[in-house]
């Protein structure tokens, strides 16, 4: 399996995030990608390729222009107002407030973000564009006939919506790739999200569409971030009704519960019969993940890969979360090896 990777991921290197009431070093750090690519090479998974250049055009297929412009200019606006330290929002819109775009950078950060865990830095724009290019290069490989490919995206993407960022995510790499497949001729695309946290951005982007199905197995939003999306009764709207499946699990879920949810997900995916699958590959379901509360073990990730391969569809894996950094490579590559063992 070919892997797409860029050193430009290092340009997103936030110093702190607000979590558990404290400013702490960012869990989403450059070392995540370094551990992953080292494991890919150590296991001889396949050729490692640099991404092609696509620029912002594919991003604009799923993200609103004013949001993209904001991310392109946010750092310069922040520095002009505050100085060269990481930009985090001050407040958020509450019910009864009006969502009108402010003129100042502090207001814009609050308007476009939904958390204080996703710092904008000097390198955020370039890293986010590069991550989208990694996803699009993987899309192009699979569209060209590869049975599977691994887009080692960083920063991750599945929390980013059409005009908002958060959850360490700026551009929704999985959605960008899915739209790329559609633009390239695929009639139906399925996004299967196996990250611990709900792929709220992916759902929001495609919620009224029936050509891209989103399926997410994740921690119950009654207990866990991002809290306000991912409930089982969210099934789509308009033409999209019935084309979105959420499978929330309670804290402490181990393979018995997770495996059952994965079986349900794969049955629905098979019924949908997509031309291609995009997997939002988060491995923060691991029992030792520092910010998550599932109990999956190393061997369970092989099973996930095997289950995805059983669908018999061309598959693009897009890297999302996973914060037990030293064991991140083992778990992510186990999914890919499990997939390859069954194709």
């Amino acid at each position: 399996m070919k892997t797409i990777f860029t050193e430009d991921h290092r340009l997103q290197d936030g110093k702190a995030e607000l979590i558990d009431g404290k400013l702490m070093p960012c869990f989403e750090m450059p070392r995540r990608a370094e551990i992953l690519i080292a494991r890919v090479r150590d296991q001889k998974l396949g050729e490692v390729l640099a991404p092609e250049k696509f620029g912002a055009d594919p991003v604009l297929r799923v993200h609103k222009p004013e949001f993209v412009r904001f991310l392109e200019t946010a750092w310069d606006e922040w520095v002009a107002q505050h100085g060269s330290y990481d930009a985090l929002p001050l407040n958020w819109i509450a019910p009864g407030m009006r969502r009108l775009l402010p003129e100042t950078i502090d207001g814009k950060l609050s308007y476009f973000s939904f958390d204080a865990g996703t710092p904008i830095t000097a390198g955020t724009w370039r890293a986010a564009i590069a991550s989208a290019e990694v996803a699009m290069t993987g899309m192009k490989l699979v569209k060209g006939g590869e049975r599977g490919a691994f887009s080692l995206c960083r920063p991750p993407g599945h929390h980013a919506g059409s005009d908002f960022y958060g959850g360490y995510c700026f551009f929704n790499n999985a959605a960008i790739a899915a739209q790329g497949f559609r633009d390239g001729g695929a009639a139906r695309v399925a996004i299967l999200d196996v990250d611990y946290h709900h792929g709220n951005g992916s759902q929001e982007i495609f919620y009224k569409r029936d050509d891209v199905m989103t399926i997410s197995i994740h921690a119950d939003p009654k207990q866990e971030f991002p809290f306000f999306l991912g409930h089982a009764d969210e099934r789509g709207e308009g033409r999209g009704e019935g084309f979105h499946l959420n499978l929330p699990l309670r804290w402490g879920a181990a393979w018995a519960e997770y495996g059952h949810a994965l079986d349900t997900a794969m049955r629905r995916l098979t019924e949908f019969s997509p031309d291609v699958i995009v997997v939002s590959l988060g491995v923060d379901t691991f029992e030792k993940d520092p910010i998550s509360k599932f109990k999956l073990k190393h061997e369970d990730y092989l099973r996930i890969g095997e289950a995805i391969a059983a669908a018999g569809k061309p598959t693009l894996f897009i890297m999302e979360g996973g914060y037990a950094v030293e064991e991140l490579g083992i778990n992510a590559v186990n999914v890919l090896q499990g997939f390859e063992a069954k194709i």
Side-chain angles (χ1 to χ4, degrees), residues 114 159 196-201 218-221 224-230:
F114 69 87
H159 291 305
Y196 173 80
H197 303 95
H198 177 246
N200 60 295
H218 53 270
D220 194 324
E224 190 59 84
F225 180 97
F227 298 112
F228 305 112
L229 214 60

Side-chain angles (χ1 to χ4, degrees), residues 7 11 21 26 39 51 70 81 93 95 129 160 169 224 243 251 263 276 280 291 293 296 303 332:
E7 295 288 350
L11 296 172
C26 292
R39 181 70 175 180
F70 158 75
Q81 183 72 31
I93 301 167
I129 285 289
C169 304
E224 190 59 84
F243 291 90
W251 281 349
D263 288 343
V276 64
S280 276
I291 61 173
K293 293 181 172 65
L296 269 59
R303 298 174 180 177

Side-chain angles (χ1 to χ4, degrees), residues 27 43 131 164 197 203 208 215-216 319:
F27 285 99
Q43 293 294 297
S131 193
F164 60 83
H197 303 95
Q203 177 174 305
K208 297 180 181 180
I215 302 174
S216 183
M319 195 64 210

Side-chain angles (χ1 to χ4, degrees), residues 158 172 174-175 178 188-207 209-219 229-232 234-236 240 242-249 258-274 276-282 304 307-308 311 313 316 318 320:
H158 72 147
N172 194 312
R188 288 185 163 196
V189 180
I191 297 177
L192 174 65
D193 194 321
V194 296
D195 191 278
Y196 173 80
H197 303 95
H198 177 246
N200 60 295
S202 303
Q203 177 174 305
E204 183 266 341
I205 289 168
F206 296 113
Y207 201 59
R209 290 172 54 172
D210 59 3
D211 58 332
V212 179
M213 168 176 278
T214 66
I215 302 174
S216 183
I217 308 169
H218 53 270
L229 214 60
H231 298 277
E234 296 160 14
R235 302 181 62 252
F243 291 90
H244 303 273
L245 176 63
N246 287 307
L247 298 164
L249 301 175
Y258 196 93
H260 178 73
L262 182 59
D263 288 343
T264 300
M266 296 312 297
R267 283 196 300 270
R268 181 65 187 98
L269 187 151
T270 300
E271 291 170 1
F272 180 63
S273 189
V276 64
I277 302 169
V278 176
V279 178
S280 276
L281 178 56
I304 291 172
I308 295 169
K313 301 291 183 179
L316 173 62
I318 302 277
E320 302 285 3

